Amino acid sequence: MGIINVLSPQMANLIAAGEVVERPGSVVKELIENAVDAGASRIEIDIRNGGVAYIRITDDGCGIDPEDVPTAFLRHATSKLREPSDLTKIATMGFRGEALAAISAVAKVDLFTKTENQVSGVHITCEGGVLGQPEETGCPKGTSIVVRDLFYNTPARMKFLKKDATESSYCESAVVSAALAHPDISFRLTKDGRESFFTTGGGDLLQVIAALSGKETAGELLPVKGSFPETEISGFVSPVGLTRSSRSMQYFLVNGRPVRGKILTAAVDAAYKGRIMPGRYPVCFLTIDLPYSAVDVNVHPAKLEVKFAREKDVFSAIHNTITMALDEAANGFQSFRRPEQKRPAAPQEDNLTGFQQQLVVERTEDGHLVMPEPAGAKREPLASPSAAAAYKTPVGADKKQPDPFDDLDDSLFRINKLELVPPKLPDAPAPKAAETKKQEERPAETPEHVTVLGQVFDTYVIAQQGDCMWMIDKHAAHERLLFNKLVETVGDMDRQTLLSPLPVPLTAPEKQACLDNLALLERSGFELTDFGLAGLSVRAAPTYLEQEDVPFVLTEMARKLQEGGRPETEVLHDLLASISCKAAVKGGSYSSPQELETLAREVLSRPDVKNCPHGRPVAVSMTRYQMEKQFKRVL
């Protein structure tokens, strides 16, 4: 007896559902794409319990003819493809004909639809892949699809779903991506009876961005536009002063389709290389338009990735368009360079292909990039109360920007790193009679006496303690002292109430991660409220943080909280480390002699201050013997 079986239609649909319907957000994405293809000018999305219990997508599109309604639930049934040649020029969002079949195989589906020419509409049900009989019903022009009890017949799939709030954020992300791709369509998202997101459909991409990230962030973005052979680039990117700890605010639209791809992110990274700190990512909303035949949208089951026929050309177009915009921005590259530092220019890496290196880019009178066609064709006191009075910035002293080279290796010499405890001084030989009088004239020194000799590069404190020289990283040292103080005051941390709430733009998953850990953030000195789709509103923050540092700390923590699966103690450590890092004095900034002496005494008198919260050494030492050995005074 043969062992090869032909799968039943129900089994085939369940397998297809495993590829297409990963979670409720996948259902929302697929059904929105169908509504867009139906010519809708208004799409309303209503979800409950994260979309697991209930999803409703209503549009005012063309509707489905009554005779086509049963066919729409069959696998590989589509109105978008007819001939093999159509696969090379796909211009629609949904085209495989798997969405309704896959969704109805793992859920209970009701479809209501009516065309403009029909007097009444049609209602049909499909439960677990079993299609009911169509019946006449009253409904407005367009289509409304209700999906209930997702994965009710596949409990194993239910175990992989996350909390309702998290699944809800994934649904929200699908709506946002569609709204960015189609600013001419009005989108309204309602979650558990509350409106969460709305766009007017006026066709202005920046208005959609403002609805997503807030007016403040949208107002900082730089418009970009470039014209190249067979490739048009447009959209908005962030100036170099506006970055995030992840790529969650990077959106790419290829021929109106929200997609992701390494070639796209690589082009953006190349344009910002040397302009922003490592580990930080710019914000971008880019639209890439090119001939349909030059892009393959059929390489991913959920159509999330695309493949370009000429990747190098696309890379070059994105890279050069962004580069020109950044070069012309008022707050561009130079604001991240300390004028007093003279560093030799490093040779630029040869990342570009021959085509890109030879690319000639011109700018038109209206400011657009065009490639001609080819011929023929801030700071706070130290954690210690005793040090607070001394460690303040003198009035009038300039506060410099953070040094972009802070993360480089702090070691200045190849020396042994000793334990950060006061060194034991060797027994001194009996002084000669002539020297006794001189020693009596000097002030008596205790083994703990610390003498600050100065600092180098405005970053490293040079101090002498007995027979040992110390080199102290003042940023790392102050960071550790602040961190230790924060740990001692968790749950009773001093906080400052802001004069006006500070909005912090976050993606839906990031915001939800913070709301899920709200108690932890409150123990760390934050008072937060939901600010809708634009993110969170900060009403109070730890006293150690300056207001401009609050968004950085929260976005950094939102990214880490989003990862999940980590013990609360580890998450709390990272949060306090971020606060202390931003509040600590920065390397390269001015420090008075009194500040340096206070810091050195604090560090060298506390054995628990060895490393900053991120693991970098606070200080390294060189004994007199080691130094004399370096100069060959001893063998």
Side-chain angles (χ1 to χ4, degrees):
M1 181 178 177
I3 61 173
I4 299 178
N5 301 315
V6 177
L7 296 177
S8 66
Q10 185 179 10
M11 282 294 296
N13 286 338
L14 287 173
I15 293 173
E19 294 182 333
V20 178
V21 186
E22 181 183 4
R23 54 181 7 109
S26 306
V27 175
V28 172
K29 172 185 177 295
E30 294 290 340
L31 297 182
I32 285 179
E33 288 180 348
N34 286 342
V36 170
D37 288 339
S41 62
R42 175 180 53 83
I43 302 176
E44 295 186 356
I45 305 95
D46 184 6
I47 64 173
R48 301 172 192 170
N49 299 106
V52 178
Y54 181 89
I55 299 174
R56 178 178 60 83
I57 311 290
T58 301
D59 68 70
D60 61 350
C62 63
I64 305 174
D65 287 330
E67 59 268 27
D68 287 338
V69 170
T71 309
F73 285 85
L74 300 179
R75 287 197 69 202
H76 307 309
T78 177
S79 61
K80 289 54 177 293
L81 301 175
R82 294 190 180 276
E83 300 178 357
S85 60
D86 293 337
L87 289 172
T88 64
K89 50 183 179 181
I90 294 175
T92 56
M93 298 295 102
F95 55 86
R96 284 200 178 96
E98 295 172 344
L100 282 178
I103 294 169
S104 61
V106 292
K108 303 172 184 178
V109 178
D110 286 89
L111 182 146
F112 303 84
T113 186
K114 177 182 175 298
T115 63
E116 187 173 11
N117 299 326
Q118 297 293 322
V119 176
S120 60
V122 178
H123 169 226
I124 193 170
T125 63
C126 190
E127 182 174 335
V130 180
L131 190 64
Q133 291 296 321
E135 57 186 13
E136 189 174 313
T137 187
C139 62
K141 170 182 169 291
T143 301
S144 180
I145 300 179
V146 179
V147 180
R148 295 184 175 91
D149 301 331
L150 185 62
F151 301 137
Y152 80 100
N153 57 350
T154 53
R157 298 289 302 278
M158 288 287 292
K159 294 190 299 185
F160 289 93
L161 295 181
K162 300 182 179 180
K163 298 178 182 177
D164 287 352
T166 303
E167 294 298 337
S168 178
S169 69
Y170 285 119
C171 294
E172 198 167 31
S173 296
V175 178
V176 167
S177 296
L180 290 170
H182 306 282
D184 56 327
I185 300 177
S186 174
F187 288 85
R188 185 188 302 274
L189 171 64
T190 304
K191 299 192 303 182
D192 298 314
R194 178 185 176 187
E195 183 179 293
S196 175
F197 178 70
F198 173 73
T199 62
T200 62
D204 188 347
L205 176 59
L206 197 59
Q207 287 186 352
V208 181
I209 296 174
L212 166 64
S213 61
K215 293 182 179 180
E216 184 177 351
T217 298
E220 293 186 49
L221 299 179
L222 308 174
V224 295
K225 190 170 184 64
S227 299
F228 304 85
E230 296 191 342
T231 307
E232 297 283 335
I233 309 295
S234 62
F236 298 87
V237 300
S238 62
V240 295
L242 175 62
T243 60
R244 294 176 60 83
S245 60
S246 68
R247 300 185 188 274
S248 58
M249 273 291 185
Q250 293 186 353
Y251 291 87
F252 300 94
L253 310 170
V254 176
N255 290 343
R257 183 185 304 279
V259 299
R260 62 194 182 200
K262 293 182 180 179
I263 192 70
L264 305 175
T265 56
V268 174
D269 289 348
Y272 281 87
K273 186 175 183 180
R275 302 174 187 262
I276 62 177
M277 292 281 291
R280 303 294 297 177
Y281 301 94
V283 175
C284 68
F285 301 87
L286 293 179
T287 296
I288 301 99
D289 292 315
L290 61 166
Y292 294 116
S293 59
V295 56
D296 185 358
V297 300
N298 200 28
V299 297
H300 191 279
K303 298 164 288 186
L304 295 176
E305 299 178 0
V306 296
K307 185 176 181 180
F308 300 102
R310 290 181 290 275
E311 291 185 339
K312 296 177 182 178
D313 294 6
V314 175
F315 179 100
S316 177
I318 297 174
H319 174 270
N320 287 299
T321 299
I322 297 177
T323 298
M324 185 66 74
L326 294 179
D327 287 344
E328 293 184 354
N331 60 338
F333 179 77
Q334 292 299 325
S335 65
F336 277 76
R337 284 287 183 263
R338 293 169 54 202
E340 67 272 18
Q341 282 191 321
K342 302 295 183 181
R343 294 180 178 268
Q348 187 175 2
E349 292 187 14
D350 187 7
N351 285 335
L352 306 180
T353 63
F355 168 82
Q356 297 159 352
Q357 292 170 343
Q358 298 171 12
L359 190 62
V360 178
V361 181
E362 299 175 354
R363 184 171 289 282
T364 62
E365 294 181 358
D366 58 358
H368 295 169
L369 278 176
V370 178
M371 190 179 84
E373 295 281 350
K378 161 185 153 186
R379 192 168 88 180
E380 290 289 335
L382 283 174
S384 170
S386 62
Y391 216 83
K392 292 183 179 179
T393 304
V395 176
D398 293 334
K399 178 182 176 182
K400 301 182 180 179
Q401 295 292 332
D403 193 340
F405 304 100
D406 275 345
D407 290 336
L408 298 180
D409 187 4
D410 297 338
S411 300
L412 299 179
F413 308 100
R414 296 183 178 274
I415 59 179
N416 296 327
K417 295 181 180 179
L418 304 182
E419 289 292 322
L420 189 53
V421 294
K424 182 179 179 180
L425 300 181
D427 295 332
K432 298 179 181 180
E435 295 178 351
T436 303
K437 185 176 181 180
K438 293 182 180 180
Q439 292 179 358
E440 291 176 351
E441 294 174 354
R442 299 183 193 144
E445 293 188 3
T446 64
E448 302 297 329
H449 181 77
V450 178
T451 302
V452 173
L453 306 176
Q455 63 177 330
V456 293
F457 311 127
D458 285 339
T459 300
Y460 305 101
V461 183
I462 308 300
Q464 180 181 350
Q465 187 182 45
D467 223 18
C468 184
M469 180 187 73
W470 289 95
M471 291 164 284
I472 304 171
D473 184 329
K474 65 182 183 182
H475 171 75
H478 192 199
E479 183 181 355
R480 166 53 72 173
L481 293 171
L482 286 175
F483 177 80
N484 290 354
K485 179 65 175 179
L486 293 176
V487 170
E488 295 171 359
T489 58
V490 167
D492 189 27
M493 192 174 296
D494 292 337
R495 64 171 66 180
Q496 52 186 337
T497 301
L498 305 182
L499 294 178
S500 59
L502 175 66
V504 177
L506 298 170
T507 64
E510 290 173 341
K511 183 188 75 172
Q512 191 59 51
C514 290
L515 293 177
D516 290 342
N517 294 272
L518 197 58
L520 182 64
L521 293 169
E522 289 178 347
R523 289 173 58 199
S524 304
F526 290 97
E527 182 182 340
L528 308 172
T529 57
D530 195 337
F531 198 53
L533 192 66
L536 294 173
S537 177
V538 183
R539 297 183 177 274
T543 55
Y544 290 103
L545 277 181
E546 292 194 0
Q547 182 166 319
E548 60 264 29
D549 293 330
V550 171
F552 177 93
V553 172
L554 275 183
T555 54
E556 182 76 14
M557 279 313 303
R559 179 181 63 83
K560 294 180 179 180
L561 290 171
Q562 195 179 351
E563 297 171 358
R566 304 170 63 205
E568 183 177 297
T569 54
E570 184 179 329
V571 176
L572 181 61
H573 178 282
D574 288 347
L575 177 55
L576 299 183
S578 295
I579 296 174
S580 58
C581 181
K582 296 304 294 183
V585 61
K586 302 299 185 292
S589 62
Y590 170 81
S591 299
S592 69
Q594 293 81 6
E595 291 176 321
L596 299 179
E597 183 174 351
T598 300
L599 181 63
R601 288 179 180 274
E602 188 84 11
V603 169
L604 298 181
S605 64
R606 297 182 58 171
D608 60 330
V609 181
K610 298 180 180 180
N611 300 86
C612 80
H614 300 99
R616 294 168 52 198
V618 165
V620 295
S621 64
M622 177 179 280
T623 64
R624 180 173 182 174
Y625 174 80
Q626 290 173 322
M627 185 177 295
E628 290 183 341
K629 191 171 182 179
Q630 292 288 328
F631 287 99
K632 309 303 180 185
R633 287 178 172 267
V634 296
L635 299 178

